Amino acid sequence: MTAISIAEPSPKILEPEPVDDIRLFPRSPEVPEGCIVVDDIPGDDFPYPVHIHKVNYVTREIASADRDERESIDLPMWIFEPQLPDGTPETVREQQRWPGIVFVRGSAFHEQNVLDYISYFVRLAERGFVVAAPKYRHSDIAAFPAQMQDCKTAVRFVRKNADTYHVDGDRIALFGDSSGGHTVLMAGFTADHEPDTPVYGECSSAVSCIVDWYGPTDFSMMNRYPSVQNHTDADSPEGFEIGHVDVLDNPELNAKASVLAYISEDAPIPPTLIMHGGRDMIVPFNQSVRLYAKLKECRKDVTFMKINNANHACLGFRSNRALDMVVDYIRQHM
């Protein structure tokens, strides 16, 4: 058996030598015989460990079951905070400020299972974003505009607590999928204007950019294009969202909940990335085409990506490539 040579230890105990840049810590010169040297990995693909916080970001009043009383409900938020690698000086850790993403999970406007997208939140945080995933008042207990109001409050909460979670309050994006896409578009397009609530009003809810994954934009047109769902009767997700009524029988309510109604040449709309699957069987692809056309007509900064063979939330959206597109876009627009 061949003996493996081992470098001689220092004759004296070495004192710790902290470094400001961990990439510059001296490389060991030892390469024992038979050791395979891997020299073509330049760095980490997911460089940051992630710490998860859970907080209640707001308490809302809603109608009680008998509708004659009001009751309070606490809305939780999960915050995924990147951590600098072990050995980073504490002063550097304290000064670190990460860009933020408020991610609204879709749910057909009903109660969200926020953490079923935990893999997305972690992947984004590993890439250097503080990700805040709030739960909104769902349509079974509060109709539109409750969801967009809660989204705005979530942005303000993150900005108000920027030092606690090491967020750069000047660099916050909105990201939502499906009904969450509708919510972030509404919140991002209206920002500090109505419909709104005064909670944390000392902070703005305006964001640097918006990412919309296959969100509905005009409920009244959804059943005009192929889908596996009904989108207009009172029991449809869209019917629940405007008050558990028929969409086509209530054009005024539908118009208030239409993303397109909030777009104009004068409206200060943030840069917006739209991504939609060409085979989406739930939210017709045409919903994003209508949004894109309106934004272009009003000369807004918009990018539209058709994931040609993707369906609703799958067959392309659960990929590193799709998430990398989002990360690249957000970094370019912050």
Side-chain angles (χ1 to χ4, degrees):
M1 180 179 294
T2 303
I4 302 298
S5 62
I6 300 174
E8 289 294 323
S10 168
K12 63 177 181 179
I13 300 298
L14 300 177
E15 293 296 324
E17 297 182 16
V19 294
D20 290 333
D21 187 341
I22 62 173
R23 294 169 298 181
L24 301 180
F25 189 80
R27 180 192 297 117
S28 170
E30 290 186 275
V31 182
E33 183 179 353
C35 173
I36 299 170
V37 177
V38 180
D39 206 26
D40 60 351
I41 300 178
D44 295 325
D45 293 324
F46 38 96
Y48 304 111
V50 179
H51 183 75
I52 304 173
H53 312 264
K54 183 183 178 184
V55 296
N56 289 326
Y57 71 98
V58 68
T59 300
R60 299 291 200 201
E61 281 196 351
I62 60 171
S64 65
D66 62 15
R67 301 290 177 178
D68 294 326
E69 302 289 339
R70 304 289 290 177
E71 62 182 67
S72 295
I73 179 172
D74 292 330
L75 293 179
M77 172 191 290
W78 290 265
I79 298 174
F80 298 77
E81 182 188 351
Q83 304 292 297
L84 291 171
D86 291 344
T88 303
E90 194 59 34
T91 53
V92 176
R93 291 180 185 276
E94 284 303 311
Q95 293 169 2
Q96 176 66 44
R97 292 295 180 270
W98 310 95
I101 298 174
V102 175
F103 192 123
V104 179
R105 174 70 177 105
S107 61
F109 300 109
H110 296 300
E111 186 168 7
Q112 298 152 292
N113 180 1
V114 175
L115 292 184
D116 69 351
Y117 258 36
I118 192 170
S119 59
Y120 288 92
F121 309 148
V122 170
R123 281 176 167 85
L124 288 166
E126 286 173 339
R127 287 163 166 81
F129 297 91
V130 172
V131 180
K135 196 169 186 178
Y136 56 40
R137 285 170 291 169
H138 54 87
S139 62
D140 301 83
I141 60 173
F144 177 85
Q147 297 73 34
M148 67 179 291
Q149 291 171 331
D150 292 344
C151 180
K152 293 181 184 185
T153 299
V155 173
R156 292 188 176 110
F157 177 89
V158 171
R159 189 162 272 139
K160 180 180 176 68
N161 294 279
D163 288 345
T164 300
Y165 303 111
H166 302 98
V167 181
D168 181 345
D170 293 327
R171 295 190 295 159
I172 297 177
L174 283 172
F175 184 3
D177 75 300
S178 197
S179 65
H182 176 274
T183 298
V184 299
L185 288 167
M186 282 291 198
F189 287 3
T190 60
D192 295 323
H193 303 286
E194 294 296 331
D196 207 348
T197 69
V199 183
Y200 314 128
E202 68 275 20
C203 298
S204 173
S205 67
V207 296
S208 299
C209 59
I210 304 167
V211 178
D212 160 40
W213 274 12
Y214 42 84
T217 60
D218 183 352
F219 300 163
S220 67
M221 298 303 296
M222 294 181 76
N223 275 8
R224 303 275 184 174
Y225 297 84
S227 173
V228 298
Q229 283 188 354
N230 182 287
H231 297 284
T232 59
D233 67 30
D235 287 332
S236 70
E238 296 74 20
F240 260 98
E241 174 65 352
I242 63 171
H244 199 194
V245 298
D246 188 281
V247 170
L248 300 181
D249 290 343
N250 293 273
E252 290 187 6
L253 291 175
N254 174 68
K256 289 180 180 178
S258 171
V259 174
L260 306 185
Y262 296 83
I263 304 171
S264 68
E265 288 193 7
D266 296 334
I269 290 175
T272 300
L273 170 64
I274 307 165
M275 295 174 66
H276 207 132
R279 299 180 185 272
D280 197 312
M281 64 184 181
I282 295 179
V283 176
F285 181 78
N286 177 263
Q287 289 285 292
S288 287
V289 175
R290 290 176 178 275
L291 171 61
Y292 180 64
K294 184 70 173 180
L295 288 169
K296 293 293 283 186
E297 176 189 338
C298 293
R299 301 180 178 86
K300 303 305 179 184
D301 184 346
V302 57
T303 300
F304 189 11
M305 294 183 179
K306 181 180 185 180
I307 312 301
N308 216 26
N309 290 312
N311 207 303
H312 194 78
C314 62
L315 301 181
F317 284 101
R318 294 182 178 275
S319 68
N320 286 326
R321 187 174 175 191
L323 209 57
D324 286 344
M325 292 174 183
V326 171
V327 168
D328 290 345
Y329 183 87
I330 291 177
R331 284 179 175 156
Q332 291 168 14
H333 290 84
M334 280 189 162

